[in-house]
Amino acid sequence: MHISNIGDSQAVPDHASRALEILRTVFGYPAFRGQQQDIIAHITSGHDALVLMPTGGGKSLCYQIPAMIRHGVGVVVSPLIALMQDQVDALETAGVRAAYLNSTQSYDEVLQVEQAVLKNELDLLYIAPERLVTPRCLNWLKKAEISLFAIDEAHCVSQWGHDFRPEYIQLSVLHECFPDVPRVALTATADRQTREEIVSRLKLDSARQFISSFDRPNIRYIIVEKENARRQLLDFIRTRHSGQAGIVYCLSRRKVEETVAFLTEQHISALPYHAGLDHAVRAENQARFLREDGIVMVATIAFGMGIDKPDVRFVAHLDMPRSMEGYYQETGRAGRDGQPATAWMAYGLQDVVLQRRMIDESDADMVHRRIQKEKLEALLGFCESLTCRRVRLLEYFGESSEPCGNCDVCLSPPVAQDGTEDMQKLLSTIYRVGQRFGALHVIDVLRGIHSERVLQWHHHELSTFGIGRGKSAAEWRSVLRQAVAAEYVFADHDEYNALKLTEKARPVLKGETKVFLRPYVRPDKKRKTLSITTGQPALPPQEQKLMERLKWWRMEVARRQNMPAYVILQDATLREIAVIKPKTPDDLLHIAGMGSKRLSMWGRDILELVSGFDESSDE
Ligand code: ADP
Ligand code: ZN
């Protein structure tokens, strides 16, 4: 059953009710989210639009539904060739007539799709930008009826962004060749500069701009002090996200490999992804991550662009990213389905030192380096924040908000302590040892440890020897980290990371500035306070069992059809089925995410599974 004649209903004046009907019957959702309805109305009536919405906000429906209502085929430009198959599968599974054109297809397959377009048999066509802008393709499309152009990942047009694609610049020809076809550009990149570039390069001056909040309320932000990062990661996965899909970001290829080995040893299904791996291995790992349940992808930032997997439950950073933009983009890959998810980061002194060094040693010019430095400072401020993480994050992107109640700071507020005296102890010890020693030694002196090196240099005779006995080494590392983050101290790379004082240290030593510190929290304590309110309430045991069975069933179907599990039905839908236990097809149709095509394909199976489960559990 294809919803084949929806495109012929242009005569119906009431687009709004048509759009709602499609949302309900085809996609199985009861209501539009955020600005979806306005955007759809605007595009359906033939106008251009620029849509800025965070990842998981629901951008796809904004062009899919207008393409289904308007005459002709909606052409979707997307750079993510590897994902086209899944996108088209998901649409077909919902009963939408869709196809794609890219370099992976044979000549015959291409011809078939082209014919289908000319015969007006498709609602949506996904196409790679480099193909679209060829004269052959443009000429062919001129013979077809086109309902709209959707330019996905529109920030790829920005020469300053890291996802720049030269072909995107040529997309301005669409406006010249098809002046009457509405165009919509979509992106999850928030900053103003990119937005302006999209408008000017794609000639979207008259497009209406729809800008949503960039908040991702279902993501919980947690930053912990790094002690033994891998152990902390393991603990985090085991206690909060056992058996769930997640991404772990590391800075280097080697660390990716080591982390995979560690997690595998601990019986967690982990796969590596970095640019040093063979192309085939990378593709295979990505496919497994998308298709199988509960895989942890350990990766460098080479991984993630356009990863559409909706049920990534956590993103963990074992190393600090370079900027707030990077942090936001990477953590944003969690929880696209709107269900609770966690962004977790282990952060420590080494991260600050390493990132500063990378900037110092890069061969970028002065201006560039200064920008990088500023971006890093903003991120450090975020990591050391004593106020709500979300407020800080959104503020960086120009949005104001209230404390969220869903980040580590809100959930267990650190009480800022007057750390002036501790800071002075640390700074003067660094000074007394001649600014020639690294963190380990300085902390030994503070704590009054008679180490070999202390004795060798007679540092036990210093006036500061042992003045920090009351604190553990971990506590002093925390003070030192904050000293480096605040730039009282820097680690000199040219001298084996010897700690040195900066100009900013002087007023602190003289007692002219007060210093407030984030108190040190032992990692095990933190876990307890934070696990009190884990996002989603656990299902009762019976429902949990039913959920497991539904997942098994879904895995079977997915394997048979060679599609990712989430294309069949998303977790949230299975969860609702497990809770509501529908008895009739009509009950089932009311579950969010079903829709009539899915009902016709799997309704019987699911209802049988549910009723069979009820009977067996009565025994
Ligand atoms: P984006 O492209 O903005 O990252 P998607 O279009 O992939 O987001 O949508 C994210 C998720 O939200 C998908 O799982 C989609 O099915 C779901 N979704 C979109 N719109 C709605 C809606 N109105 N109601 C419920 N779920 C929705
Ligand atoms: Zn908060």
Side-chain angles (χ1 to χ4, degrees), residues 109-123:
E109 284 172 310
V110 171
L111 276 187
Q112 240 172 31
V113 173
E114 290 184 351
Q115 285 303 318
V117 169
L118 293 181
K119 284 193 253 160
N120 219 343
E121 289 171 352
L122 289 179
D123 291 314

Side-chain angles (χ1 to χ4, degrees), residues 403-463:
C404 71
N406 194 24
C407 71
D408 58 344
V409 176
C410 286
L411 290 167
S412 87
V415 184
Q417 289 169 351
D418 184 343
T420 313
E421 206 176 304
D422 286 338
M423 191 57 82
Q424 285 170 338
K425 287 180 183 173
L426 172 73
L427 299 180
S428 51
T429 304
I430 292 173
Y431 181 74
R432 299 249 174 248
V433 300
Q435 312 193 61
R436 288 168 50 212
F437 291 85
L440 277 179
H441 185 73
V442 168
I443 290 174
D444 276 352
V445 174
L446 270 165
R447 298 185 62 230
I449 310 273
H450 289 89
S451 72
E452 221 171 280
R453 201 187 283 185
V454 166
L455 297 172
Q456 181 190 344
W457 292 90
H458 296 278
H459 284 165
H460 53 294
E461 291 161 13
L462 294 177
S463 60

Side-chain angles (χ1 to χ4, degrees), residues 263-280:
L263 290 177
T264 309
E265 221 168 79
Q266 305 293 332
H267 310 289
I268 289 175
S269 329
L271 294 174
Y273 192 104
H274 56 72
L277 288 169
D278 217 43
H279 182 74

Side-chain angles (χ1 to χ4, degrees), residues 141-441:
L141 277 179
K142 279 178 194 158
K143 288 182 256 164
E145 188 170 6
I146 300 175
S147 59
L148 58 86
F149 286 106
I151 301 166
D152 208 1
E153 313 288 347
H155 60 279
C156 289
V157 82
S158 162
Q159 274 174 308
W160 305 110
H162 28 214
D163 296 328
F164 176 57
R165 307 261 172 152
E167 319 82 73
Y168 260 67
I169 292 195
Q170 297 171 49
L171 290 175
S172 59
V173 303
L174 296 180
H175 181 50
E176 290 143 29
C177 297
F178 308 91
D180 300 327
V181 178
R183 294 170 304 144
V184 50
L186 309 101
T187 178
T189 303
D191 64 278
R192 145 167 277 128
Q193 193 188 347
T194 311
R195 195 194 316 162
E196 283 166 4
E197 242 183 307
I198 294 173
V199 168
S200 78
R201 291 200 186 275
L202 296 179
K203 306 217 160 51
L204 281 167
D205 308 273
S206 53
R208 186 164 147 201
Q209 300 193 4
F210 294 89
I211 301 168
S212 306
S213 164
F214 272 72
D215 185 20
R216 304 285 313 278
N218 59 314
I219 298 183
R220 171 174 296 183
Y221 297 99
I222 296 179
I223 298 179
V224 301
E225 297 190 33
K226 207 183 257 189
E227 306 237 312
N228 177 342
R230 268 192 227 150
R231 276 271 144 210
Q232 289 170 290
L233 173 71
L234 181 66
D235 200 38
F236 163 72
I237 295 177
R238 282 205 179 134
T239 51
R240 298 160 152 277
H241 294 290
S242 169
Q244 297 179 337
I247 305 174
V248 177
Y249 281 110
C250 306
L251 213 54
S252 69
R253 297 171 187 186
R254 205 183 78 203
K255 191 148 173 191
V256 167
E257 295 291 350
E258 288 170 358
T259 308
V260 169
F262 172 76
L263 290 177
T264 309
E265 221 168 79
Q266 305 293 332
H267 310 289
I268 289 175
S269 329
L271 294 174
Y273 192 104
H274 56 72
L277 288 169
D278 217 43
H279 182 74
V281 176
R282 261 184 305 176
E284 158 86 16
N285 288 356
Q286 171 166 328
R288 282 192 56 196
F289 177 69
L290 293 176
R291 266 144 224 262
E292 293 174 29
D293 266 342
I295 295 221
V296 175
M297 186 66 109
V298 185
T300 58
I301 50 171
F303 178 74
M305 153 91 162
I307 288 299
D308 244 336
K309 190 175 167 61
D311 56 354
V312 175
R313 293 271 67 86
F314 67 90
V315 169
H317 281 95
L318 279 183
D319 295 304
M320 189 174 64
R322 273 156 228 235
S323 62
M324 296 286 267
E325 286 89 347
Y327 176 79
Y328 180 80
Q329 196 173 47
E330 284 146 32
T331 56
R333 290 170 186 141
R336 285 179 84 125
D337 55 7
Q339 305 289 306
T342 316
W344 181 92
M345 169 154 70
Y347 154 79
L349 177 61
Q350 275 309 313
D351 291 290
V352 191
V353 172
L354 189 68
Q355 289 287 356
R356 288 238 169 94
R357 175 159 86 205
M358 278 168 40
I359 296 174
D360 286 341
E361 288 177 356
S362 81
D363 28 67
D365 55 51
M366 288 300 282
V367 179
H368 229 88
R369 258 194 242 180
R370 209 196 62 232
I371 295 175
Q372 284 179 319
K373 271 233 159 87
E374 284 167 8
K375 286 187 186 283
L376 179 61
E377 296 320 314
L379 184 63
L380 290 178
F382 173 73
C383 292
E384 301 288 359
S385 178
L386 290 161
T387 54
C388 173
R389 307 264 184 216
R390 194 179 312 272
V391 169
R392 293 285 296 242
L393 191 59
L394 292 174
E395 198 173 68
Y396 183 81
F397 294 111
E399 261 181 61
S400 55
S401 61
E402 294 296 311
C404 71
N406 194 24
C407 71
D408 58 344
V409 176
C410 286
L411 290 167
S412 87
V415 184
Q417 289 169 351
D418 184 343
T420 313
E421 206 176 304
D422 286 338
M423 191 57 82
Q424 285 170 338
K425 287 180 183 173
L426 172 73
L427 299 180
S428 51
T429 304
I430 292 173
Y431 181 74
R432 299 249 174 248
V433 300
Q435 312 193 61
R436 288 168 50 212
F437 291 85
L440 277 179
H441 185 73

